[in-house]
């Protein structure tokens, strides 16, 4: 019985990742790698700082991975991905805008 489940799982994984491999699957996997990279960047930055921090690179990886995943969702006609990533991407872009605006004000204050 356990062997049958293992074989079924192997057949499924082969079908999903090998038999159906195409441009969009590769694109989606790269998008997911971008999205995962944001957590690695945040973790490394936090370890270096000795406290929890969110560097701007986190937001850029979020935006890049989110936009790529959104494109993937549109191409694959996946409404769950489209809704989730379109809303999330707006948040990522807004956070980058706030950071850039805050840095601009901080540098003006330091220049005076």
């Amino acid at each position: 019985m356990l062997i049958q489940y293992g074989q079924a799982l192997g057949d499924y994984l082969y079908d999903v990742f090998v038999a159906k491999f195409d441009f969009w699957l590769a694109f989606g996997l790269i998008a997911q790698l971008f999205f995962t990279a944001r957590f690695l960047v945040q973790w490394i930055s936090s370890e270096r700082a000795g406290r929890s921090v969110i560097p701007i690179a986190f937001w850029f990886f979020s935006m890049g991975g989110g936009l790529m995943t959104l494109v993937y969702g549109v191409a694959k006609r996946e409404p769950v991905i489209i809704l989730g990533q379109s809303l999330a991407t707006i948040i990522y872009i807004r956070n980058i805008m706030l950071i850039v605006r805050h840095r601009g004000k901080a540098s003006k204050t330091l220049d005076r």
Side-chain angles (χ1 to χ4, degrees), residues 34-109:
F34 264 89
F35 214 65
T36 301
R38 73 192 193 131
F39 293 114
L40 295 174
V41 165
Q42 193 272 331
W43 179 31
I44 291 167
S45 295
S46 293
E47 288 294 333
R48 286 183 178 166
R51 61 185 176 84
S52 182
V53 296
I54 300 177
I56 193 167
F58 174 89
W59 297 111
F60 279 107
F61 276 113
S62 298
M63 184 182 65
L67 284 172
M68 288 179 72
T69 304
L70 177 59
V71 168
Y72 174 82
V74 169
K76 293 302 229 173
R77 299 176 183 216
E78 293 284 344
V80 173
I81 294 174
I82 294 168
L83 287 174
Q85 289 305 316
S86 56
L87 296 175
T89 301
I90 292 168
I91 294 168
Y92 306 146
I93 292 170
R94 180 65 179 147
N95 273 290
I96 291 170
M97 290 170 58
L98 291 170
I99 291 167
V100 168
R101 184 185 323 160
H102 176 71
R103 284 188 177 178
K105 288 180 181 177
S107 63
K108 287 178 187 174
T109 305

